[in-house]
Amino acid sequence: DAGITQSPRHKVTETGTPVTLRCHQTENHRYMYWYRQDPGHGLRLIHYSYGVKDTDKGEVSDGYSVSRSKTEDFLLTLESATSSQTSVYFCAISDSWGQSAEQYFGPGTRLTVT
Amino acid sequence: GIQVEQSPPDLILQEGANSTLRCNFSDSVNNLQWFHQNPWGQLINLFYIPSGTKQNGRLSATTVATERYSLLYISSSQTTDSGVYFCAVTWGKLQFGAGTQVVVTP
């Protein structure tokens, strides 16, 4: 199994509070991704990173920001959590980009915003 | 963007049965992955199969890229095969299908 951990694994927070989710990898892969999974929508890309301090938006990036200060860590921040951000969040990694990339997923973080 | 369609959406199997899951995609791709999401939510890589056929135990997969489809075969199903099976293609970024929910009953 790819060495990917996510923390916390479960979190309940209140509307309007900031939340940061962490993804940590031990594979030294260049590319990292954040997805959310919701019933009826499958997995959707929030943000991704193609190197330290290099990030870009995915298809559902509104309300989220990311940072990557080290190869091994990719942080997802909800500046002011809303109930619509209740979801399961997955981090993924790959060692290449685009059509040759095989992605590996972390265990997920279940976030509930009340 | 690329469309990824999986069928059937749901599948109920008796233990020991065989089954075939299908993934169709709307454009040429050079990358296709199959994942299993177990009942605990973990996403497990099954196959990275841009073309051809691969086998891993009771599971095998075939991708015919020129005809834009991939098949996942489950043979002699076990209750531990229950969960959701996703195919995903890379077309710029990874695009997932909606999944096939599989329930294997004893």
Side-chain angles (χ1 to χ4, degrees):
Chain A
D1 289 342
I4 312 168
T5 57
Q6 293 184 229
S7 59
R9 294 293 313 281
H10 302 271
K11 186 169 182 67
V12 179
T13 192
E14 293 184 349
T15 297
T17 59
V19 176
T20 295
L21 309 183
R22 180 180 183 238
C23 177
H24 179 78
Q25 59 141 333
T26 59
E27 304 296 321
N28 201 35
H29 283 2
R30 177 178 176 183
Y31 301 92
M32 299 185 74
Y33 313 81
W34 277 107
Y35 292 86
R36 59 178 289 174
Q37 185 178 29
D38 305 289
H41 290 279
L43 282 100
R44 294 179 292 174
L45 182 65
I46 305 171
H47 280 281
Y48 63 97
S49 170
Y50 46 96
V52 173
K53 297 185 180 179
D54 292 324
T55 65
D56 204 349
K57 297 179 179 180
E59 61 181 300
V60 290
S61 59
D62 288 348
Y64 302 95
S65 63
V66 291
S67 65
R68 191 166 177 204
S69 59
K70 298 185 289 185
T71 298
E72 57 267 34
D73 291 324
F74 192 31
L75 304 181
L76 177 70
T77 298
L78 291 66
E79 299 291 346
S80 178
T82 67
S83 58
S84 65
Q85 293 176 312
T86 292
S87 187
V88 180
Y89 291 86
F90 286 97
C91 172
I93 65 173
S94 67
D95 62 1
S96 58
W97 174 252
Q99 295 193 324
S100 63
E102 182 173 6
Q103 291 190 22
Y104 298 90
F105 284 77
T109 293
R110 184 172 296 276
L111 176 68
T112 302
V113 183
T114 61
Chain B
I2 194 169
Q3 305 300 312
V4 183
E5 296 181 350
Q6 293 188 242
S7 59
D10 301 281
L11 194 57
I12 300 176
L13 302 169
Q14 194 151 20
E15 205 167 21
N18 302 329
S19 64
T20 301
L21 283 59
R22 187 176 180 103
C23 175
N24 292 333
F25 39 94
S26 61
D27 207 336
S28 298
V29 297
N30 288 335
N31 177 4
L32 187 138
Q33 291 185 249
W34 282 98
F35 297 90
H36 175 217
Q37 188 166 37
N38 63 25
W40 296 269
Q42 187 178 6
L43 275 164
I44 300 164
N45 289 52
L46 296 178
F47 296 101
Y48 172 75
I49 184 165
S51 63
T53 298
K54 290 186 177 180
Q55 181 153 8
N56 185 2
R58 296 179 295 100
L59 301 180
S60 63
T62 295
T63 296
V64 183
T66 53
E67 297 187 20
R68 302 178 185 174
Y69 73 90
S70 183
L71 303 174
L72 179 70
Y73 306 95
I74 305 174
S75 64
S76 304
S77 58
Q78 300 178 358
T79 56
T80 53
D81 295 330
S82 295
V84 182
Y85 290 81
F86 291 101
C87 67
V89 301
T90 299
W91 195 77
K93 304 174 184 64
L94 202 60
Q95 291 286 129
F96 281 80
T100 294
Q101 174 87 52
V102 174
V103 175
V104 181
T105 60

